[in-house]
Amino acid sequence: MNTMAAYGYPILFTAFVWWFSTGVIVYLDGLPRRTFRWSMLGATALSLGALYSLTTSATDTTVTSAYVAFTCAIMVWGWNEMGFLMGYVTGPRPAPCPAGAVGFERFSYATMAILYHELALVASLALIAGLTWDQPNQVGVWTFAVLWVLRLSSKINVFLGVPNLTEEFLPQGLSFLKSYFRKAPMNVAFPISISLSTTALVVLAQQAIAVDVTAFQAAAFTFVCALLALAILEHWLMVLPLPAAALWSWGLTSHNATSVQSAHSNLIEPISQATVTAAARLKPGSSKVPAVPKVA
C-alpha cells in the first residue's frame, strides 16, 4: 500500500478542506445581510446533495467513497454553521447576558442563546447516522461526530475562560455572544478536553496504521485523525499567544469592510439628521442659513 496515497493525501485534503471551508464561511457571514438568503440557498442545495451522496456512498468501501463521505459531512456541517452565523438558527433568547448573572444562571442564559443551533447539530448527526445506518462506510458519521464534540468543547472553554477568544470571527449580528465569553489564563475544562481528545487521537492513529488495515480503512481513519488533530490545534490556539486569525485573514476581509461601512453610516446619519432638523427650523422667506453641525 502506497504510504502517501494512504495517509499523506488524506491529511493534506483534510487540512485544505478545514482551512478553505472555514474561510469561505467567515467571508460569507461578513457580507451585507441582503446576501445571506442567497448564500443559504446555495448552501442548502449543496447540503441536500451531500446528504444524497452520503446515502449512496455508505455501501461502498473504496478510497474514493471515503473522500466523498468526508467531504459531504463537511458540507452538512458548513450548512449548520452558516445558518447559525447568519442568525437564522440561534436560540430562543438571542440577547446579551444580563449584568450580574453568574454560575448556573449565566450558563442557562448562554444555553438559551444558542439552543436551536445545538439541537440542529444533533438532528443533523442523527440524520446522517440514520441514512448510513448499518452500512460499512461510516466516515460521514465519524466526521460529523468529531466536529460536533470538539466544537462543543471549544464553546465550553470559551464560556469558562481562555486567553484568546477569537471574537473577530463573530459577525455583527451575533456580537451579543461576546457577553458570554470570558477571558482567563486557563479553566478547569481545558486540560480535560486536551487529554481526552489526544487519547482518542492516539487510539485512532493506531487503527490507521494497523498491519492488517485495508486501503479504505487507512483513508477513513486518517481523515478522522487529521480532523481531530486540527480540532486539538484549534484548542491550543485558544491559549497560546499566536495570531490564529491570520490563517483566515482573507476570509475576514468582508468583516472589515462591513465594519467600515457601518462606522461610516453611524457617522453620516446624525450629521444628515441634524442638517434636516436645522433646515426645518427656517421660516419661509428667512435669509438665515442654518449652521453646519460640527463633527466631534
Side-chain angles (χ1 to χ4, degrees):
M1 184 166 52
N2 186 297
T3 303
M4 188 63 187
Y7 305 108
Y9 292 152
I11 291 174
L12 292 175
F13 184 77
T14 303
F16 173 76
V17 170
W18 168 77
W19 171 78
F20 182 72
S21 61
T22 300
V24 169
I25 293 173
V26 169
Y27 181 82
L28 291 176
D29 68 52
L31 294 174
R33 188 166 183 81
R34 64 178 181 274
T35 66
F36 287 2
R37 66 179 65 181
W38 301 110
S39 295
M40 281 304 300
L41 183 62
T44 300
L46 288 175
S47 184
L48 291 174
L51 289 172
Y52 174 77
S53 296
L54 280 167
T55 305
T56 57
S57 65
T59 59
D60 193 7
T61 55
T62 62
V63 173
T64 300
S65 69
Y67 276 89
V68 170
F70 173 79
T71 305
C72 289
I74 296 293
M75 288 182 180
V76 178
W77 179 267
W79 177 81
N80 279 277
E81 287 297 288
M82 286 179 61
F84 172 65
L85 293 171
M86 293 182 178
Y88 291 112
V89 184
T90 53
R93 191 183 180 281
C97 183
V102 295
F104 182 77
E105 183 184 16
R106 177 171 171 262
F107 176 77
S108 63
Y109 282 128
T111 302
M112 289 298 103
I114 61 172
L115 180 61
Y116 295 155
H117 171 59
E118 295 303 320
L119 292 177
L121 290 176
V122 174
S124 296
L125 178 57
L127 178 59
I128 294 174
L131 292 174
T132 60
W133 186 259
D134 203 28
Q135 298 299 328
N137 184 353
Q138 293 294 304
V139 175
V141 177
W142 298 346
T143 299
F144 202 94
V146 167
L147 288 169
W148 177 60
V149 172
L150 271 295
R151 181 56 59 86
L152 185 61
S153 173
S154 296
K155 292 173 183 175
I156 292 173
N157 277 280
V158 169
F159 173 79
L160 294 177
V162 289
N164 303 323
L165 299 174
T166 59
E167 297 174 330
E168 59 270 38
F169 287 100
L170 279 178
Q172 289 186 354
L174 295 183
S175 58
F176 67 90
L177 289 178
K178 296 178 183 179
S179 63
Y180 299 98
F181 295 177
R182 175 175 290 168
K183 199 173 185 68
M186 183 59 66
N187 69 79
V188 67
F190 185 81
I192 298 175
S193 301
I194 292 296
S195 299
L196 291 178
S197 55
T198 303
T199 300
L201 176 60
V202 172
V203 172
L204 290 171
Q206 290 175 338
Q207 296 296 318
I209 61 175
V211 176
D212 58 346
V213 71
T214 65
F216 167 77
Q217 291 172 332
F221 281 115
T222 301
F223 278 129
V224 179
C225 286
L227 191 62
L228 183 54
L230 290 170
I232 294 172
L233 172 62
E234 288 184 349
H235 275 64
W236 280 112
L237 290 175
M238 291 190 291
V239 299
L240 295 177
L242 297 173
L247 288 170
W248 296 281
S249 57
W250 58 277
L252 289 168
T253 54
S254 61
H255 287 244
N256 298 333
T258 302
S259 298
V260 171
Q261 183 179 9
S262 177
H264 178 73
S265 299
N266 291 337
L267 178 64
I268 295 299
E269 184 176 352
I271 294 177
S272 302
Q273 185 62 37
T275 303
V276 170
T277 302
R281 290 174 180 172
L282 280 177
K283 296 180 180 180
S286 174
S287 60
K288 184 179 179 181
V289 179
V292 177
K294 296 181 179 179
V295 180

